[in-house]
Amino acid sequence: QVQLAESGGGQVQTGGSMRLSCAASGRTFSGTSMGWFRQAPGKEREFVAAKSWNGGNTYYADSVKGRFTISRESAKNTVYLQMNSLTPDDTAVYYCAATREWNLLLLPGTYDYWGRGTQVTVSS
C-alpha cells in the first residue's frame, strides 16, 4: 500500500511558476513509477508527466513539454512537478499517482495509488 500526499498548489498569475510536491509513504519508493495528472472542471483527467521507477524514462504531455519538469528525490520519497510559464489553461486539480509498472505510464488505469489532489489556479 502506498499513501500519496500532494502539496504546493495555490493561485498564481499568468507567466508565473509553481512547484508541486508529492510525498509517498508506506512502500518502497525506489521501485515505484510516479506520474502527475490533472483535471479541470467539466473535463476528463489528463496525463501531465511521469517518471519510470528506474529513472530512465520521463514523459510529458505535449501541452506542458518545455514548461513543466518532473523530478524525484528518493531520499525524501518525494516527487516534484516544477511548472513554469503557467497559463489559465493549466488551471486544474493536480493529482500524483504511483504504480509498480514501468510502461504505459500515460494511462490513468496503469496507476494503483492516487493522492487527493491539489488545486492550481492561474489567473489572467
Side-chain angles (χ1 to χ4, degrees):
Q1 193 79 359
V2 176
Q3 291 80 43
L4 304 172
E6 303 97 336
S7 61
Q11 185 167 349
V12 66
Q13 291 188 332
T14 296
S17 298
M18 185 177 291
R19 189 178 79 159
L20 305 182
S21 300
C22 175
S25 61
R27 184 173 190 164
T28 302
F29 184 68
S30 62
T32 305
S33 299
M34 302 296 296
W36 285 96
F37 291 77
R38 66 186 182 186
Q39 188 166 17
K43 294 186 177 182
E44 293 185 354
R45 189 169 299 188
E46 65 172 359
F47 169 77
V48 176
K51 201 168 188 66
S52 63
W53 65 264
N54 61 0
N57 294 306
T58 304
Y59 306 92
Y60 295 98
D62 288 342
S63 59
V64 308
K65 202 171 293 183
R67 300 188 299 124
F68 291 12
T69 302
I70 185 172
S71 62
R72 59 193 297 163
E73 188 172 0
S74 296
K76 295 185 176 181
N77 287 351
T78 300
V79 63
Y80 303 98
L81 185 67
Q82 177 66 43
M83 305 184 294
N84 300 327
S85 302
L86 287 162
T87 75
D89 288 341
D90 296 315
T91 295
V93 177
Y94 283 70
Y95 299 89
C96 72
T99 177
R100 293 285 287 178
E101 301 294 333
W102 57 271
N103 62 351
L104 300 179
L105 298 181
L106 278 65
L107 303 178
T110 300
Y111 295 83
D112 302 306
Y113 307 100
W114 292 84
R116 293 188 176 183
T118 184
Q119 176 70 47
V120 172
T121 302
V122 184
S123 57
S124 57

